Amino acid sequence: MNEIKIHDMVALLEDFETCQFMTDKHLLLPKGQVGTVVEIYKNGETYEVEFSDEDGQSYALVTLVAQQLVCLHYEKPRLSVVN
């Protein structure tokens, strides 16, 4: 299992209800929503994850456990010749 590190991009494995950052309006973060890890607590038991819109404005900041997250990886694709 890969360790989640600070500034990693993660996605939710389940829907999560929270309040919108700054307004306290109810907000449902759907499964698959992508956020950034901004803090790690208790040696990786929980993570503070920031969710932002396409303009970079943060709209949710929530604390989640590792079981609610999957770490996203970006790798350069391997080039191969197809006959």
Side-chain angles (χ1 to χ4, degrees):
M1 182 174 186
N2 293 331
E3 177 183 334
I4 297 174
K5 300 177 295 298
I6 197 146
H7 299 141
D8 275 350
M9 300 280 292
V10 292
L12 288 173
L13 291 173
E14 58 191 42
D15 293 347
F16 187 83
E17 291 187 31
T18 187
C19 294
Q20 189 173 16
F21 189 66
M22 303 292 279
T23 66
D24 284 338
K25 291 182 180 176
H26 178 264
L27 179 66
L28 175 65
L29 298 172
K31 178 181 178 181
Q33 189 71 33
V34 175
T36 303
V37 174
V38 294
E39 191 62 70
I40 299 172
Y41 301 113
K42 298 180 181 178
N43 292 322
E45 286 184 32
T46 57
Y47 301 88
E48 188 96 343
V49 179
E50 180 181 72
F51 295 88
S52 302
D53 64 19
E54 60 275 359
D55 296 323
Q57 292 292 315
S58 177
Y59 59 85
L61 188 63
V62 297
T63 302
L64 301 162
V65 296
Q67 293 78 13
Q68 294 174 294
L69 300 169
V70 62
C71 189
L72 303 177
H73 300 278
Y74 298 97
E75 293 181 22
K76 184 177 177 181
R78 294 183 191 174
L79 298 177
S80 61
V81 177
V82 178
N83 293 326

